[in-house]
Structures are given as structure tokens and as C-alpha cells.
Amino acid sequence: MKKLDTCLLALLLCLPLAACGGQPSSSTATETADTTLGKKVREATDEARRKLATENISVSRNNGVKAEITPAGDLLIDGKAVAIDDAQRKLLLEYRTQIVKVAEAGIDVGVQGANLGMRAAGEAIKGIFSGDTDKIEERVNAEAKRLEESALKICEQMPAMLATQQQLATAVPEFKPYATMDQDDIEECRKGSVTLR
């Protein structure tokens, strides 16, 4: 779970970087359209989505030994397949699907953050030149609120993921040392989402 947290954090860190570079969004851009930076971020994340769908997903490490779940639902520990039955494979695939959904939601939040940063910079520049700064904060805060709601949706997926992880740790003893997610991770996610603005 810590690797997933790191990926999400990296995506969210795009927000302040987005505010510092690139071109301001045009005045005709809608609030949901990608900015120039948002498009570049989305293009880069399309590759990440492809890899999530087609490559092994690293679950975690235990004493330097990596566990992965393949697209077919195999569990690999240190590159070697663990013998599993159909019920265990079903649980592994369910857990993998949940990881992918959380990761994809994190990617979406990262793109939204990049767009928000660019729009905020564009709004600030327009406000300086037009002298109309009254509504800037209101518009940016409204979009930040939508970003926060998207981030909270990630946290809402985590209890089901934790439950599946615990079932998997019981059903596949070899997986148990890799079941590192706990209730604190969910609470930290919720706290982090609330403090996005």
C-alpha cells in the first residue's frame, strides 16, 4: 500500500508545479477541458493506465522480496508463482481490480490538479491585467472543491480494498506478509483529501 500512497502523492504534487509553468488556459476553455499541461499529463498517464491493465502489479515488499499480481491473477513472490486454486485466483483478481481502480482514480486526480494549477495561474494573470480579481478566488475554490471530492472518492474505495486484502491474507498464507494496508491508511487518505485546499 505504501507504493500506492507514493504514486498518489507524486500525482498530487503536480498541482504546485502546474501553477508555475506552461501557458495559461484560454478564456474559452471550459472548466472540465484539459489545459495544455493537463493534456501532456493525460498523455503521460495513458501509458501508466496501459501498464496497469497489461503488466504485473507490485503489491509490496517484505524483507526486500517483491510480491506481484499478474493480469491473469497469479501471485508471484520473488518472481516465482505461488500455487493457487480458482477461489484464491478470484480473490487475487478482485484485489488487483481494486488496486487498478484506486490507481486510475489517483491518475485522474493528478490530471485535475494539473488543470487546476494552470487555470489558477491563468485566472490570476487575467485578473491582474483586467483588474477584475473579485471572482478569481471563488472560481478557483469551486474547482479545488471538485478536486477534493475526487480525492475523497479514492478514499471511499479503500475500505473494500482493505476487506479484500484481509480475505486474501487468510486465503493465501504466502500473501499475508504483503498485506500491509490497515485502517490507518484509510484515515490518512481521508485527512490528506480534506487538506487539499
Short mmCIF file of all heavy atoms in Angstrom, two decimals, residues 78-132:
data_model
loop_
_atom_site.label_atom_id
_atom_site.label_comp_id
_atom_site.label_asym_id
_atom_site.label_seq_id
_atom_site.Cartn_x
_atom_site.Cartn_y
_atom_site.Cartn_z
N ASP A 78 8.85 -13.02 -5.34
CA ASP A 78 10.24 -13.07 -5.80
C ASP A 78 10.32 -13.70 -7.19
O ASP A 78 11.22 -14.47 -7.50
CB ASP A 78 11.11 -13.83 -4.79
CG ASP A 78 12.58 -13.47 -4.90
OD1 ASP A 78 12.90 -12.41 -5.48
OD2 ASP A 78 13.41 -14.25 -4.41
N GLY A 79 9.31 -13.37 -8.04
CA GLY A 79 9.28 -13.85 -9.41
C GLY A 79 8.77 -15.26 -9.60
O GLY A 79 8.63 -15.73 -10.74
N LYS A 80 8.46 -15.97 -8.52
CA LYS A 80 8.00 -17.36 -8.62
C LYS A 80 6.50 -17.45 -8.31
O LYS A 80 6.04 -16.88 -7.32
CB LYS A 80 8.78 -18.24 -7.64
CG LYS A 80 10.27 -18.28 -7.96
CD LYS A 80 11.03 -19.04 -6.90
CE LYS A 80 12.51 -18.90 -7.19
NZ LYS A 80 13.30 -18.65 -6.02
N ALA A 81 5.79 -18.20 -9.15
CA ALA A 81 4.35 -18.35 -8.97
C ALA A 81 4.03 -19.19 -7.74
O ALA A 81 4.65 -20.22 -7.50
CB ALA A 81 3.73 -18.98 -10.21
N VAL A 82 3.05 -18.70 -6.97
CA VAL A 82 2.55 -19.44 -5.82
C VAL A 82 1.39 -20.31 -6.31
O VAL A 82 0.54 -19.85 -7.09
CB VAL A 82 2.05 -18.44 -4.72
CG1 VAL A 82 1.36 -19.18 -3.58
CG2 VAL A 82 3.20 -17.58 -4.22
N ALA A 83 1.35 -21.55 -5.86
CA ALA A 83 0.26 -22.45 -6.25
C ALA A 83 -1.04 -21.94 -5.64
O ALA A 83 -1.12 -21.73 -4.43
CB ALA A 83 0.54 -23.87 -5.79
N ILE A 84 -2.05 -21.72 -6.50
CA ILE A 84 -3.35 -21.22 -6.02
C ILE A 84 -4.47 -21.99 -6.69
O ILE A 84 -4.29 -22.56 -7.76
CB ILE A 84 -3.52 -19.70 -6.31
CG1 ILE A 84 -3.32 -19.40 -7.81
CG2 ILE A 84 -2.59 -18.86 -5.46
CD1 ILE A 84 -3.71 -17.99 -8.21
N ASP A 85 -5.64 -21.97 -6.04
CA ASP A 85 -6.82 -22.60 -6.64
C ASP A 85 -7.70 -21.50 -7.25
O ASP A 85 -7.37 -20.31 -7.20
CB ASP A 85 -7.57 -23.45 -5.61
CG ASP A 85 -8.08 -22.64 -4.41
OD1 ASP A 85 -8.33 -21.41 -4.56
OD2 ASP A 85 -8.25 -23.23 -3.32
N ASP A 86 -8.83 -21.90 -7.81
CA ASP A 86 -9.70 -20.95 -8.50
C ASP A 86 -10.26 -19.88 -7.56
O ASP A 86 -10.37 -18.71 -7.95
CB ASP A 86 -10.86 -21.68 -9.19
CG ASP A 86 -10.41 -22.48 -10.41
OD1 ASP A 86 -9.30 -22.21 -10.91
OD2 ASP A 86 -11.16 -23.37 -10.84
N ALA A 87 -10.61 -20.25 -6.35
CA ALA A 87 -11.15 -19.28 -5.39
C ALA A 87 -10.08 -18.25 -5.01
O ALA A 87 -10.38 -17.05 -4.90
CB ALA A 87 -11.66 -20.00 -4.14
N GLN A 88 -8.86 -18.70 -4.82
CA GLN A 88 -7.77 -17.78 -4.49
C GLN A 88 -7.48 -16.85 -5.67
O GLN A 88 -7.26 -15.65 -5.49
CB GLN A 88 -6.51 -18.58 -4.12
CG GLN A 88 -6.64 -19.32 -2.81
CD GLN A 88 -5.53 -20.34 -2.61
OE1 GLN A 88 -5.07 -21.00 -3.56
NE2 GLN A 88 -5.09 -20.48 -1.36
N ARG A 89 -7.51 -17.39 -6.88
CA ARG A 89 -7.29 -16.57 -8.08
C ARG A 89 -8.38 -15.49 -8.18
O ARG A 89 -8.10 -14.34 -8.51
CB ARG A 89 -7.29 -17.43 -9.34
CG ARG A 89 -7.00 -16.63 -10.62
CD ARG A 89 -6.97 -17.51 -11.86
NE ARG A 89 -6.07 -18.63 -11.72
CZ ARG A 89 -4.75 -18.59 -11.90
NH1 ARG A 89 -4.18 -17.45 -12.23
NH2 ARG A 89 -4.01 -19.67 -11.75
N LYS A 90 -9.61 -15.87 -7.89
CA LYS A 90 -10.71 -14.90 -7.94
C LYS A 90 -10.45 -13.75 -6.97
O LYS A 90 -10.66 -12.58 -7.31
CB LYS A 90 -12.04 -15.61 -7.62
CG LYS A 90 -13.24 -14.71 -7.73
CD LYS A 90 -14.52 -15.47 -7.45
CE LYS A 90 -15.70 -14.50 -7.48
NZ LYS A 90 -16.95 -15.13 -7.13
N LEU A 91 -10.00 -14.07 -5.76
CA LEU A 91 -9.68 -13.03 -4.78
C LEU A 91 -8.51 -12.15 -5.24
O LEU A 91 -8.53 -10.93 -5.09
CB LEU A 91 -9.32 -13.66 -3.43
CG LEU A 91 -10.45 -13.90 -2.44
CD1 LEU A 91 -9.91 -14.64 -1.21
CD2 LEU A 91 -11.13 -12.61 -2.04
N LEU A 92 -7.49 -12.79 -5.81
CA LEU A 92 -6.34 -12.04 -6.33
C LEU A 92 -6.77 -11.09 -7.44
O LEU A 92 -6.34 -9.93 -7.48
CB LEU A 92 -5.25 -12.99 -6.83
CG LEU A 92 -4.42 -13.65 -5.73
CD1 LEU A 92 -3.75 -14.92 -6.24
CD2 LEU A 92 -3.37 -12.68 -5.20
N LEU A 93 -7.64 -11.55 -8.34
CA LEU A 93 -8.13 -10.69 -9.41
C LEU A 93 -8.99 -9.56 -8.88
O LEU A 93 -8.93 -8.43 -9.37
CB LEU A 93 -8.89 -11.52 -10.46
CG LEU A 93 -8.01 -12.37 -11.38
CD1 LEU A 93 -8.87 -13.34 -12.19
CD2 LEU A 93 -7.16 -11.49 -12.28
N GLU A 94 -9.80 -9.85 -7.87
CA GLU A 94 -10.63 -8.81 -7.25
C GLU A 94 -9.73 -7.73 -6.62
O GLU A 94 -9.96 -6.53 -6.79
CB GLU A 94 -11.56 -9.42 -6.20
CG GLU A 94 -12.47 -8.39 -5.54
CD GLU A 94 -13.39 -9.03 -4.50
OE1 GLU A 94 -13.49 -10.27 -4.43
OE2 GLU A 94 -13.99 -8.24 -3.74
N TYR A 95 -8.71 -8.17 -5.90
CA TYR A 95 -7.79 -7.23 -5.26
C TYR A 95 -7.03 -6.41 -6.31
O TYR A 95 -6.88 -5.20 -6.19
CB TYR A 95 -6.82 -7.99 -4.35
CG TYR A 95 -5.96 -7.11 -3.49
CD1 TYR A 95 -6.52 -6.22 -2.58
CD2 TYR A 95 -4.57 -7.16 -3.57
CE1 TYR A 95 -5.73 -5.41 -1.79
CE2 TYR A 95 -3.77 -6.36 -2.78
CZ TYR A 95 -4.36 -5.48 -1.89
OH TYR A 95 -3.57 -4.67 -1.10
N ARG A 96 -6.59 -7.08 -7.35
CA ARG A 96 -5.89 -6.38 -8.43
C ARG A 96 -6.79 -5.31 -9.06
O ARG A 96 -6.37 -4.19 -9.31
CB ARG A 96 -5.43 -7.39 -9.49
CG ARG A 96 -4.69 -6.74 -10.65
CD ARG A 96 -4.43 -7.73 -11.79
NE ARG A 96 -4.12 -7.02 -13.01
CZ ARG A 96 -2.90 -6.68 -13.38
NH1 ARG A 96 -1.87 -7.00 -12.63
NH2 ARG A 96 -2.71 -6.01 -14.49
N THR A 97 -8.05 -5.67 -9.32
CA THR A 97 -9.01 -4.72 -9.89
C THR A 97 -9.17 -3.52 -8.98
O THR A 97 -9.23 -2.37 -9.46
CB THR A 97 -10.36 -5.41 -10.14
OG1 THR A 97 -10.17 -6.48 -11.08
CG2 THR A 97 -11.40 -4.45 -10.67
N GLN A 98 -9.25 -3.74 -7.68
CA GLN A 98 -9.39 -2.63 -6.73
C GLN A 98 -8.15 -1.74 -6.74
O GLN A 98 -8.28 -0.51 -6.70
CB GLN A 98 -9.67 -3.18 -5.32
CG GLN A 98 -11.04 -3.80 -5.21
CD GLN A 98 -11.22 -4.59 -3.91
OE1 GLN A 98 -10.27 -5.16 -3.38
NE2 GLN A 98 -12.45 -4.63 -3.44
N ILE A 99 -6.97 -2.33 -6.80
CA ILE A 99 -5.74 -1.55 -6.87
C ILE A 99 -5.74 -0.69 -8.14
O ILE A 99 -5.41 0.50 -8.10
CB ILE A 99 -4.49 -2.46 -6.85
CG1 ILE A 99 -4.32 -3.12 -5.49
CG2 ILE A 99 -3.22 -1.67 -7.22
CD1 ILE A 99 -3.24 -4.20 -5.45
N VAL A 100 -6.13 -1.28 -9.26
CA VAL A 100 -6.16 -0.55 -10.53
C VAL A 100 -7.14 0.62 -10.44
O VAL A 100 -6.83 1.74 -10.88
CB VAL A 100 -6.51 -1.49 -11.70
CG1 VAL A 100 -6.83 -0.71 -12.96
CG2 VAL A 100 -5.36 -2.47 -11.95
N LYS A 101 -8.32 0.39 -9.87
CA LYS A 101 -9.31 1.47 -9.76
C LYS A 101 -8.79 2.62 -8.91
O LYS A 101 -8.98 3.79 -9.25
CB LYS A 101 -10.63 0.93 -9.18
CG LYS A 101 -11.44 0.14 -10.17
CD LYS A 101 -12.74 -0.32 -9.56
CE LYS A 101 -13.55 -1.13 -10.55
NZ LYS A 101 -14.80 -1.62 -9.96
N VAL A 102 -8.14 2.30 -7.80
CA VAL A 102 -7.59 3.35 -6.94
C VAL A 102 -6.47 4.09 -7.66
O VAL A 102 -6.41 5.33 -7.64
CB VAL A 102 -7.10 2.76 -5.59
CG1 VAL A 102 -6.26 3.77 -4.82
CG2 VAL A 102 -8.30 2.33 -4.74
N ALA A 103 -5.61 3.35 -8.35
CA ALA A 103 -4.51 3.98 -9.08
C ALA A 103 -5.05 4.87 -10.21
O ALA A 103 -4.56 6.00 -10.40
CB ALA A 103 -3.57 2.92 -9.64
N GLU A 104 -6.05 4.40 -10.94
CA GLU A 104 -6.62 5.20 -12.01
C GLU A 104 -7.32 6.44 -11.47
O GLU A 104 -7.23 7.51 -12.07
CB GLU A 104 -7.58 4.36 -12.86
CG GLU A 104 -6.85 3.37 -13.73
CD GLU A 104 -7.75 2.56 -14.64
OE1 GLU A 104 -8.97 2.44 -14.33
OE2 GLU A 104 -7.25 2.04 -15.65
N ALA A 105 -7.98 6.31 -10.34
CA ALA A 105 -8.60 7.48 -9.72
C ALA A 105 -7.52 8.48 -9.30
O ALA A 105 -7.69 9.70 -9.44
CB ALA A 105 -9.45 7.06 -8.52
N GLY A 106 -6.40 7.98 -8.81
CA GLY A 106 -5.28 8.85 -8.46
C GLY A 106 -4.72 9.57 -9.68
O GLY A 106 -4.38 10.75 -9.62
N ILE A 107 -4.65 8.86 -10.80
CA ILE A 107 -4.20 9.48 -12.05
C ILE A 107 -5.16 10.60 -12.43
O ILE A 107 -4.73 11.70 -12.81
CB ILE A 107 -4.10 8.41 -13.16
CG1 ILE A 107 -2.90 7.49 -12.90
CG2 ILE A 107 -3.99 9.07 -14.54
CD1 ILE A 107 -2.85 6.26 -13.80
N ASP A 108 -6.46 10.34 -12.34
CA ASP A 108 -7.45 11.37 -12.67
C ASP A 108 -7.29 12.60 -11.78
O ASP A 108 -7.39 13.73 -12.25
CB ASP A 108 -8.87 10.81 -12.56
CG ASP A 108 -9.20 9.81 -13.66
OD1 ASP A 108 -8.52 9.83 -14.71
OD2 ASP A 108 -10.13 9.01 -13.47
N VAL A 109 -7.06 12.37 -10.50
CA VAL A 109 -6.86 13.50 -9.58
C VAL A 109 -5.61 14.28 -9.97
O VAL A 109 -5.59 15.51 -9.93
CB VAL A 109 -6.79 13.01 -8.11
CG1 VAL A 109 -6.31 14.12 -7.18
CG2 VAL A 109 -8.16 12.52 -7.65
N GLY A 110 -4.57 13.57 -10.38
CA GLY A 110 -3.35 14.25 -10.82
C GLY A 110 -3.59 15.14 -12.02
O GLY A 110 -3.11 16.27 -12.09
N VAL A 111 -4.36 14.64 -13.00
CA VAL A 111 -4.69 15.44 -14.18
C VAL A 111 -5.53 16.64 -13.77
O VAL A 111 -5.28 17.76 -14.22
CB VAL A 111 -5.41 14.58 -15.24
CG1 VAL A 111 -5.93 15.45 -16.39
CG2 VAL A 111 -4.48 13.50 -15.78
N GLN A 112 -6.52 16.42 -12.91
CA GLN A 112 -7.34 17.54 -12.43
C GLN A 112 -6.48 18.57 -11.71
O GLN A 112 -6.70 19.77 -11.86
CB GLN A 112 -8.42 17.04 -11.46
CG GLN A 112 -9.58 16.34 -12.12
CD GLN A 112 -10.58 15.89 -11.07
OE1 GLN A 112 -10.32 14.98 -10.28
NE2 GLN A 112 -11.72 16.55 -11.03
N GLY A 113 -5.53 18.10 -10.92
CA GLY A 113 -4.64 19.01 -10.20
C GLY A 113 -3.80 19.85 -11.14
O GLY A 113 -3.62 21.05 -10.94
N ALA A 114 -3.29 19.21 -12.20
CA ALA A 114 -2.50 19.95 -13.20
C ALA A 114 -3.37 21.01 -13.87
O ALA A 114 -2.95 22.16 -14.04
CB ALA A 114 -1.92 18.99 -14.23
N ASN A 115 -4.60 20.62 -14.23
CA ASN A 115 -5.51 21.58 -14.85
C ASN A 115 -5.85 22.72 -13.90
O ASN A 115 -5.88 23.89 -14.30
CB ASN A 115 -6.78 20.88 -15.31
CG ASN A 115 -6.57 20.04 -16.55
OD1 ASN A 115 -5.76 20.39 -17.41
ND2 ASN A 115 -7.28 18.94 -16.66
N LEU A 116 -6.11 22.39 -12.64
CA LEU A 116 -6.44 23.43 -11.67
C LEU A 116 -5.28 24.41 -11.50
O LEU A 116 -5.48 25.62 -11.48
CB LEU A 116 -6.79 22.80 -10.31
CG LEU A 116 -7.01 23.79 -9.15
CD1 LEU A 116 -8.13 24.78 -9.47
CD2 LEU A 116 -7.30 23.04 -7.86
N GLY A 117 -4.08 23.90 -11.41
CA GLY A 117 -2.92 24.78 -11.26
C GLY A 117 -2.78 25.73 -12.43
O GLY A 117 -2.53 26.93 -12.26
N MET A 118 -2.97 25.21 -13.64
CA MET A 118 -2.86 26.06 -14.83
C MET A 118 -4.00 27.07 -14.87
O MET A 118 -3.78 28.24 -15.20
CB MET A 118 -2.87 25.19 -16.09
CG MET A 118 -1.58 24.43 -16.31
SD MET A 118 -0.12 25.49 -16.36
CE MET A 118 -0.50 26.50 -17.80
N ARG A 119 -5.20 26.63 -14.56
CA ARG A 119 -6.33 27.57 -14.59
C ARG A 119 -6.16 28.66 -13.53
O ARG A 119 -6.47 29.82 -13.77
CB ARG A 119 -7.64 26.83 -14.38
CG ARG A 119 -8.06 26.09 -15.61
CD ARG A 119 -9.53 25.68 -15.57
NE ARG A 119 -9.71 24.68 -16.61
CZ ARG A 119 -9.64 23.38 -16.42
NH1 ARG A 119 -9.41 22.89 -15.22
NH2 ARG A 119 -9.80 22.55 -17.42
N ALA A 120 -5.68 28.27 -12.35
CA ALA A 120 -5.47 29.27 -11.28
C ALA A 120 -4.44 30.30 -11.73
O ALA A 120 -4.63 31.50 -11.52
CB ALA A 120 -5.02 28.57 -10.00
N ALA A 121 -3.36 29.82 -12.35
CA ALA A 121 -2.34 30.76 -12.85
C ALA A 121 -2.93 31.65 -13.93
O ALA A 121 -2.71 32.87 -13.94
CB ALA A 121 -1.14 29.98 -13.39
N GLY A 122 -3.71 31.07 -14.84
CA GLY A 122 -4.34 31.85 -15.90
C GLY A 122 -5.31 32.88 -15.35
O GLY A 122 -5.35 34.03 -15.80
N GLU A 123 -6.13 32.46 -14.37
CA GLU A 123 -7.08 33.38 -13.75
C GLU A 123 -6.36 34.54 -13.06
O GLU A 123 -6.77 35.69 -13.16
CB GLU A 123 -7.97 32.64 -12.74
CG GLU A 123 -8.93 31.65 -13.35
CD GLU A 123 -10.10 32.30 -14.07
OE1 GLU A 123 -10.39 33.49 -13.82
OE2 GLU A 123 -10.71 31.62 -14.90
N ALA A 124 -5.27 34.22 -12.37
CA ALA A 124 -4.51 35.27 -11.68
C ALA A 124 -3.94 36.28 -12.67
O ALA A 124 -4.01 37.49 -12.46
CB ALA A 124 -3.39 34.64 -10.85
N ILE A 125 -3.40 35.77 -13.78
CA ILE A 125 -2.83 36.66 -14.80
C ILE A 125 -3.93 37.53 -15.41
O ILE A 125 -3.78 38.74 -15.55
CB ILE A 125 -2.09 35.85 -15.87
CG1 ILE A 125 -0.82 35.25 -15.26
CG2 ILE A 125 -1.75 36.71 -17.09
CD1 ILE A 125 -0.14 34.20 -16.12
N LYS A 126 -5.07 36.90 -15.75
CA LYS A 126 -6.19 37.68 -16.32
C LYS A 126 -6.66 38.74 -15.33
O LYS A 126 -6.96 39.86 -15.71
CB LYS A 126 -7.35 36.76 -16.68
CG LYS A 126 -7.10 35.97 -17.95
CD LYS A 126 -8.36 35.28 -18.44
CE LYS A 126 -8.76 34.16 -17.52
NZ LYS A 126 -9.87 33.33 -18.00
N GLY A 127 -6.73 38.37 -14.06
CA GLY A 127 -7.19 39.31 -13.03
C GLY A 127 -6.27 40.50 -12.89
O GLY A 127 -6.72 41.63 -12.71
N ILE A 128 -4.97 40.24 -12.97
CA ILE A 128 -4.00 41.33 -12.86
C ILE A 128 -4.19 42.32 -14.01
O ILE A 128 -4.22 43.53 -13.80
CB ILE A 128 -2.56 40.78 -12.87
CG1 ILE A 128 -2.29 40.04 -11.55
CG2 ILE A 128 -1.54 41.90 -13.08
CD1 ILE A 128 -1.02 39.23 -11.55
N PHE A 129 -4.35 41.81 -15.22
CA PHE A 129 -4.45 42.70 -16.39
C PHE A 129 -5.82 43.35 -16.53
O PHE A 129 -5.93 44.46 -17.02
CB PHE A 129 -4.07 41.96 -17.67
CG PHE A 129 -2.60 41.67 -17.75
CD1 PHE A 129 -2.14 40.37 -17.69
CD2 PHE A 129 -1.67 42.69 -17.86
CE1 PHE A 129 -0.78 40.09 -17.74
CE2 PHE A 129 -0.32 42.43 -17.92
CZ PHE A 129 0.14 41.13 -17.86
N SER A 130 -6.87 42.67 -16.08
CA SER A 130 -8.21 43.24 -16.22
C SER A 130 -8.63 44.03 -14.99
O SER A 130 -9.56 44.82 -15.06
CB SER A 130 -9.23 42.12 -16.47
OG SER A 130 -9.41 41.35 -15.29
N GLY A 131 -7.95 43.79 -13.88
CA GLY A 131 -8.33 44.45 -12.64
C GLY A 131 -9.53 43.78 -11.97
O GLY A 131 -10.00 44.21 -10.93
N ASP A 132 -10.03 42.72 -12.55
CA ASP A 132 -11.20 42.01 -12.01
C ASP A 132 -10.72 40.79 -11.23
O ASP A 132 -10.66 39.69 -11.76
CB ASP A 132 -12.13 41.59 -13.15
CG ASP A 132 -13.35 40.85 -12.66
OD1 ASP A 132 -13.71 40.97 -11.46
OD2 ASP A 132 -13.96 40.12 -13.47
#
